[in-house]
Amino acid sequence: MYTRTPSTGGSQWSGVSNAPSTPSQAPKSLNYDGFPSTPRTPTTPMTPFTPGSPGHYAPYAPPLHGGNHNISYGLMTPPDSPDKIARGQTDFHPMLDARANPVSFDLRTGMLLHAQIANQPAINHSVNRMIISVGGFFDVEIVSRSVPTMGELMLQLAQALRMPAHPRAPGTSRASLLGSKCAFGGLTLRSLERGAAVCVLHLRSGP
């Protein structure tokens, strides 16, 4: 490229290079790729923080008043869902459920209950009827306006055992059919059908 420069004796042309006006050598502060060098990592070891020392912060602090939250790896997790809790629940009252070491009593005489226990639900399902197979001898139906209570179960079960074993044999009660296995051995759930729980009453040898 040529440019004209004024002079006393006339115009002169001088050559100008087309190369970019960059320094012939990069500064020492630049790396080989033209980017500034990164700062060096300090060689002084970091002071470890211990719980309670200044500068130490836990990811999540535990609740002050407890609660249902679980602390796992420093993180708070939601409380257990109702479905998860229900999976560990028995089908019947602990005094009745065969899997929960039920109370044994003579079915022929029944069992007296405290008023508080008598008002507790006999079954942990939303049903208003319980169809109970007593040792495979006969069926007893427990009916309630809502979920049958312990008192309703004991009362209606005792009434059903006093009923005649057969219409043609009024002097023979259902309780006499049990023989020596007249003790309560617990309830197990067979199925849930249209608001009714189909159950099995297990028998044990009585006193």
Side-chain angles (χ1 to χ4, degrees), residues 184-202:
F184 179 80
L187 294 175
T188 56
L189 181 65
R190 180 178 295 175
S191 63
L192 296 172
E193 302 175 1
R194 298 180 180 180
V198 181
C199 319
V200 175
L201 190 155
H202 302 278

Side-chain angles (χ1 to χ4, degrees), residues 50-122:
T50 57
S53 63
H56 177 270
Y57 299 96
Y60 289 94
L64 296 178
H65 304 286
N68 294 327
H69 289 81
N70 301 320
I71 307 298
S72 178
Y73 300 102
L75 300 177
M76 292 179 66
T77 58
D80 294 335
S81 64
D83 291 340
K84 185 177 179 181
I85 297 175
R87 285 195 295 270
Q89 191 179 46
T90 58
D91 292 316
F92 304 94
H93 191 282
M95 295 178 63
L96 304 177
D97 201 291
R99 300 177 300 170
N101 192 19
V103 176
S104 182
F105 60 93
D106 194 333
L107 290 170
R108 297 170 299 182
T109 58
M111 179 176 60
L112 295 177
L113 298 175
H114 189 274
Q116 183 178 2
I117 298 178
N119 292 325
Q120 294 176 356

Side-chain angles (χ1 to χ4, degrees), residues 123 125-132 139 141-142 189-199:
I123 184 170
H125 295 278
S126 298
V127 297
N128 61 358
R129 292 189 303 130
M130 297 173 62
I131 302 174
I132 304 175
D139 292 345
E141 185 173 3
I142 309 299
L189 181 65
R190 180 178 295 175
S191 63
L192 296 172
E193 302 175 1
R194 298 180 180 180
V198 181
C199 319

